[in-house]
Amino acid sequence: MHERFAGLRMNMTHYYSILAAFTVSVVLLYIATRTTPQQPMVLDLQVRSGLKSNAQVVTTKKPSVGSSVVTDDAEAAHPIPMDDKLQVMTNKQLATLYNDFLTNIQVLCRDKIRMGNIQAGGWDVCLDGHYKPKKDNCIVYSFGIDNDFSFDDDVASTFGCEVHAFDPSMKQQDHLRGRRVHFHNLGLSDRDGKGKMQWPMKTMLSIRQDLKHADGVIDYMKIDIEDSEWESLRHAFNTNGLEGVKQLSLEFHVFGKEERSRYIARLNVLRDLYNLGYRIFWTTNNVVYPACRFTSVYDGRERTRCHEVYFLKWVV
C-alpha cells in the first residue's frame, strides 16, 4: 500500500510540473503578443503567390520602365511578359491575361474603408500602417469628378486632407469647396494644352509642379478619366509623375472594339506600373453601367470594360 501511494505522489508531482510549465508558457506567450509591435499593414497571398506572411514595404532595385518584370516579395499571380512575348500570344491569351491581372490582388490591406458613396463615386482607402493618411497632414488628388464630390468631401472631413479635385467636363470654374477641397477646371493628359473637347489639360508632372507638390508625398491619388488614363500614365512613367504617390486608385477602361494592339499596349502599361512598385490590394468589376458590360469576341466570356483597381506603393 505504501508503495502504491508513493507512486501516486510521483505521478501527481510529474503532472503538476507539466501543468506549471504549460502555465508559464501561456503567460510568456501572452506577454510577447502584448508587447511585440504589430507587423505593418500588408499581408501577402502566401498560398496563392508564395509570399512571406510578414512582408512589409519592400526596398529593392527596380528595373526601369519598359524592362523585364521586377521580382520581389509581392510577385504577381499573373505576370505580364515583355512586349516581344506579348506579340506572339493569341488574342484569347491576351484578353485573358489582361482580365486576370486586373482581377487578382497581389498584396493584402488588413484595414480599408469606403470613402464617399457606397456604389459609383466612392473609393476605398487602405488604413494599414504608414499608408493611412495622417490627420490634417495629407494630400489627395482626385481626377474625374462628374459632379460627385462624395469621395472628396468624405476624405477631407475624415482625415482633414488637402484635396485637389480635377474635372474639365463640368464647366465649373476653379473654386474652393468647403475648407479643404480645391476644384480645378483642368483635366489629366499626356500633354499640356487643349484636349480633343477643347478642355484645358495638363500632365501629371505639370500639375504637381503648379501646385508645388512635385517633390512631395501624395497620400492618395484617384484617376477615373474614361479611357484617357492609359496615355496619361505613360507620360507619368517617363517624367516621374507618380513619384511619392503612396496609394493609387484607377478605373481602367477598354472602350470601343476589342483589338489585339490595344490589349498589348495596355498590358505594357500595367507591367510598367508593376515595375514602378505598385501592387494591387483591392479590385472590383464595375458593372453598374450597362456600357461597361460586354461579351469578349476573343474568349467568349462576359467581361467588364471598367475595372476599379487599387494599388499600394509596395516597392520603394
Side-chain angles (χ1 to χ4, degrees):
M1 178 70 80
H2 177 73
E3 292 178 353
R4 187 177 301 173
F5 279 113
L8 181 60
R9 283 197 299 270
M10 290 180 64
N11 289 338
M12 291 299 291
T13 301
H14 182 65
Y15 169 76
Y16 285 131
S17 298
I18 295 175
L19 181 61
F22 176 76
T23 303
V24 171
S25 299
V26 171
V27 172
L28 291 176
L29 180 61
Y30 174 78
I31 294 173
T33 57
R34 298 290 290 180
T35 58
T36 303
Q38 293 292 317
Q39 289 290 343
M41 72 281 153
V42 183
L43 293 178
D44 308 73
L45 297 180
Q46 187 176 10
V47 175
R48 293 180 59 182
S49 305
L51 310 180
K52 297 191 300 182
S53 62
N54 63 343
Q56 47 191 300
V57 175
V58 178
T59 301
T60 187
K61 184 177 180 181
K62 303 188 298 293
S64 59
V65 170
S67 62
S68 299
V69 174
V70 64
T71 300
D72 58 48
D73 290 325
E75 194 169 328
H78 300 276
I80 300 173
M82 292 299 297
D83 184 74
D84 59 336
K85 298 293 195 302
L86 294 175
Q87 295 292 342
V88 297
M89 292 174 66
T90 66
N91 293 340
K92 181 178 180 179
Q93 288 173 330
L94 290 171
T96 300
L97 178 58
Y98 174 83
N99 284 279
D100 285 349
F101 186 89
L102 290 181
T103 54
N104 284 279
I105 62 174
Q106 297 156 355
V107 294
L108 294 179
C109 171
R110 294 183 293 186
D111 186 10
K112 62 182 179 63
I113 185 174
R114 184 72 170 181
M115 310 294 293
N117 291 334
I118 192 66
Q119 292 187 341
W123 294 80
D124 294 331
V125 179
C126 181
L127 304 183
D128 283 353
H130 85 289
Y131 292 110
K132 181 178 181 179
K134 295 180 180 179
K135 184 69 173 178
D136 299 323
N137 186 26
C138 46
I139 297 176
V140 173
Y141 278 19
S142 178
F143 294 97
I145 309 302
D146 194 22
N147 295 291
D148 184 347
F149 286 94
S150 62
F151 167 78
D152 312 84
D153 292 342
D154 198 359
V155 76
S157 62
T158 301
F159 298 110
C161 293
E162 174 187 333
V163 180
H164 292 272
F166 304 84
D167 196 323
S169 71
M170 292 166 51
K171 299 180 180 179
Q172 294 187 23
Q173 297 303 310
D174 294 1
H175 64 272
L176 181 63
R177 179 182 173 86
R179 294 175 51 203
R180 297 184 175 92
V181 180
H182 304 260
F183 177 78
H184 304 270
N185 179 33
L186 184 65
L188 180 64
S189 181
D190 61 341
R191 66 195 68 188
D192 296 343
K194 296 289 185 179
K196 295 179 180 179
M197 303 294 292
Q198 296 303 304
W199 293 332
M201 312 292 285
K202 284 193 175 183
T203 67
M204 183 74 70
L205 181 60
S206 294
I207 290 172
R208 294 184 65 174
Q209 289 174 338
D210 291 346
L211 296 175
K212 305 296 190 283
H213 297 152
D215 300 320
V217 169
I218 306 297
D219 295 270
Y220 193 99
M221 181 180 291
K222 179 265 288 185
I223 302 176
D224 183 4
I225 53 177
E226 308 304 319
D227 209 33
S228 296
E229 63 274 6
W230 301 104
E231 293 300 328
S232 300
L233 284 174
R234 287 192 187 94
H235 188 275
F237 295 160
N238 295 324
T239 58
N240 294 324
L242 295 179
E243 187 70 25
V245 177
K246 294 165 64 174
Q247 296 193 52
L248 177 64
S249 300
L250 299 103
E251 182 163 89
F252 289 108
H253 304 85
V254 182
F255 290 138
K257 181 182 177 181
E258 275 188 292
E259 293 179 358
R260 175 184 180 83
S261 60
R262 298 181 73 191
Y263 274 124
I264 292 175
R266 281 153 175 71
L267 285 166
N268 280 323
V269 170
L270 294 175
R271 187 191 60 250
D272 287 346
L273 186 61
Y274 184 93
N275 281 349
L276 283 177
Y278 288 95
R279 302 292 180 268
I280 298 172
F281 76 87
W282 191 246
T283 175
T284 61
N285 292 339
N286 186 343
V287 293
V288 175
Y289 301 106
C292 288
R293 304 176 67 167
F294 76 107
T295 299
S296 172
V297 296
Y298 288 162
D299 62 13
R301 293 180 178 272
E302 186 177 15
R303 299 290 194 183
T304 178
R305 303 182 190 276
C306 315
H307 293 89
E308 289 184 6
V309 188
Y310 300 81
F311 297 85
L312 296 176
K313 178 68 174 193
W314 178 261
V315 181
V316 295

